[in-house]
Amino acid sequence: MTITLLFSAFILDLILGDPYTWPHPVKVIGNYISFFQKHLIKPLFSIKMNYFMGGILWLSTVIISYVFTWLILFIAFRINNYLGYAVFIYLAYTTLATKSLAKEGKKIAEILETGTIEEARQQVAMIVGRDTSQLTKEEITKATVETIAENTSDGVIAPMIYLFIGGPPLAMAYKAVNTLDSMVGYLTPKYKEIGYVSAKMDDLWNLIPARISFLLLCLSSLLLNMNPKNTFKIGIRDRKNHKSPNGGYLEAPSSGALGIQLGGSHSYHGVEIYKPTIGDSLKVADSRDILKMNSLLYCSSCLGLILFSIILFMIQ
């Protein structure tokens, strides 16, 4: 039954994505994080106090996300099993982001082909944290590919793993971890202390999912006939060429499959952050590479679902 429910949630994600006007738990999580920062963190706090409050922010966000999701499921199943199944599927679906991620990538690819550079910069700014005001078309393409590659794990494979381990409550706790990192997990002066715990815990929670995603991306490149030999070679060679202990495991095989070079320094919140280069520049990156990255995303997601379902079936 659990496998059936999770398959249903995955299919729902492929059909619906994340409509902007629909209520979404991640929006609630983001609102809580913003509220905490605004009302419970004061400018006059000492450095140690900022580290401490950053830890409280992380702990409270994750615990609240888990407990509320568990309570909603508990109440739904107490009322009626079918209602419980429906709520389970919906909550599980909201933790996955396959279609929405691919959709945002496709939008950018289309604008690069038919729109202006300013429109492309504005669109890519919606999915990346770096300054996009001066990016070229090739840099916009690379930024989009990097985001889709990293979110193959963060937005799909990782929450899928936590869904199979602990259902929607654990997957929602993971979404809280990921949302915290995206909102406060920066090395800039504003977030250095407040976001320290969030950044480190995000690294920890993604450690295994990123490495599983590495294998899924390599296998996907084989199934899609996207230079699997180079995918694995670059993946192994450059997997550690990243500030994050996990990011390189997603970007390296992706760059190998596409034959483009990723990484390099970028501006985040007005601060220049150095990032090592990943991959070999076998060609100039263009909008078609975004669509190819989408194919890798979809294939890896389907392979992950099948793999985790087999494992769960075998151990039940």
Side-chain angles (χ1 to χ4, degrees), residues 265-268 270-274:
S265 298
H266 303 291
S267 177
Y268 289 84
V271 178
E272 192 73 14
I273 303 295
Y274 169 75

Side-chain angles (χ1 to χ4, degrees), residues 68-79:
F68 266 78
T69 306
W70 185 89
L71 280 173
I72 291 169
L73 272 173
F74 177 78
I75 293 170
F77 274 107
R78 287 297 295 268
I79 295 172

Side-chain angles (χ1 to χ4, degrees), residues 225-267:
N225 195 27
M226 291 173 63
N227 203 343
K229 183 178 179 181
N230 198 54
T231 301
F232 187 73
K233 183 188 80 171
I234 299 298
I236 292 296
R237 190 192 75 186
D238 293 349
R239 69 192 189 282
K240 295 184 179 180
N241 287 5
H242 202 284
K243 285 287 185 180
S244 161
N246 303 317
Y249 282 84
L250 291 313
E251 291 185 20
S254 300
S255 67
L258 302 177
I260 62 176
Q261 189 175 77
L262 302 175
S265 298
H266 303 291
S267 177

Side-chain angles (χ1 to χ4, degrees), residues 37 41 43 45-47 50-51 184-196 268-273:
Q37 289 186 83
I41 297 176
F45 279 170
S46 66
I47 291 176
N50 278 333
Y51 277 116
V184 302
Y186 296 98
L187 295 174
T188 57
K190 181 179 179 180
Y191 295 112
K192 187 177 180 181
E193 296 96 23
I194 296 298
Y196 179 82
Y268 289 84
H269 299 276
V271 178
E272 192 73 14
I273 303 295

